[in-house]
Amino acid sequence: MSFNLRIYQQELAQLTPVYKLESLDLHIFESIPSTNQKIWSLIDLGNPLPIALIALQQTAGKGQWGRTWQSSLGGLYLSVAIECDLVLDDSFHLTMATTWGITNLLRIYGIPLAIKWPNDLILENRKLGGIKIETRTSNNKIQYAVIGVGINWGNSVPEIGINLQSYFFKKQPPSITSLEQLTAITIRGILSGYQHYLEIGSQQILANYKKLLTSIGQEVIVNNCPGIVTGVTDKGKLKVRLQSSGASTEISLSSGQISLGYLNQ
Ligand code: BTN
């Protein structure tokens, strides 16, 4: 398994330019604990941002909620570091902008991807990938953000997962033909999502993000009370309308308070 930088550069050159895409350096590693962890060390060395970094495999890939992200050969393990100027309270804006950016661009490639709140990439009701954002703050402002993305390309996946190569096996011809192309597209998706956010603002990005959510309308149980997901706030909370004995109340839940299952479960 290897990564051909020249193919990546050719693929990148074919994409419409976006926020600092051409000046972005890609660092490639064979096997490291975590691309998120490694990119922080490049930031600390003073590398100009944005930068991107991939590993062909990770030995301690970080998932959400302290989970491990299985990172065997064949998958995309990517981190992109950007400088930003966001108040801490708006950290969800990074999640929605970048998750929307990646999802929207892959949909342009004909892949019917959706988002499971807050930032799972869902294809055919299965998890194609996930995003783990880490930030560094100063004076209540987010100064640096690392957007870590894992997308299943040719790697083996758990039962709830799907990889793009098996999806394309059924849907010929493939619109993406290599890990290098997927890397270029994903980096562009992250940067264009962020650029879009800077240009059009959080409310419009939230509206775009909500259009791609699988979660709206989903039935959930909260503290033994049945409810229905009605939306997401721009702070990243899930809005749920609870119904009990004729009355209905709307509550907002953070991602630590509720976890949505997959729709076919
Ligand atoms: C999730 O749990 O859904 C998020 C998974 C994010 C995994 C990616 S792989 C590249 C980057 N480096 C890490 O250690 N984690 C993220």
Side-chain angles (χ1 to χ4, degrees), residues 137-184:
T137 55
S138 160
N139 294 329
N140 217 32
K141 285 262 181 113
I142 300 173
Q143 245 185 333
Y144 300 110
V146 166
I147 298 104
V149 185
I151 296 183
N152 301 319
W153 170 247
N155 53 307
S156 53
V157 293
E159 223 210 306
I160 55 153
I162 182 170
N163 77 28
L164 268 181
Q165 283 191 331
S166 63
Y167 172 77
F168 285 137
F169 191 70
K170 294 179 292 168
K171 303 266 185 286
Q172 294 285 338
S175 56
I176 299 176
T177 53
S178 63
L179 183 62
E180 289 82 354
Q181 186 184 10
L182 179 64
T183 305

Side-chain angles (χ1 to χ4, degrees), residues 70-167:
Q70 296 301 323
S71 310
S72 57
L73 282 176
L76 173 65
Y77 311 111
L78 164 75
S79 296
V80 174
I82 57 173
E83 244 175 312
C84 40
D85 182 30
L86 275 180
V87 291
L88 193 51
D89 197 38
D90 286 342
S91 61
F92 181 68
H93 295 182
L94 278 172
T95 301
M96 63 183 181
T98 55
T99 310
W100 172 79
I102 297 168
T103 307
N104 182 56
L105 192 52
L106 288 172
R107 286 173 68 91
I108 294 172
Y109 282 80
I111 301 162
L113 202 59
I115 301 169
K116 180 164 91 67
W117 173 81
N119 49 8
D120 280 354
L121 307 177
I122 301 297
L123 179 61
E124 298 188 325
N125 294 330
R126 293 176 180 276
K127 183 156 172 167
L128 179 74
I131 299 175
K132 181 169 176 64
I133 298 183
E134 297 172 353
T135 54
R136 193 173 286 169
T137 55
S138 160
N139 294 329
N140 217 32
K141 285 262 181 113
I142 300 173
Q143 245 185 333
Y144 300 110
V146 166
I147 298 104
V149 185
I151 296 183
N152 301 319
W153 170 247
N155 53 307
S156 53
V157 293
E159 223 210 306
I160 55 153
I162 182 170
N163 77 28
L164 268 181
Q165 283 191 331
S166 63
Y167 172 77

Side-chain angles (χ1 to χ4, degrees), residues 1 5 47 73 85 91 101 118 181 224-225 240 245:
M1 189 81 210
L5 189 59
N47 279 270
L73 282 176
D85 182 30
S91 61
Q181 186 184 10
N224 294 323
C225 187
V240 175
S245 51

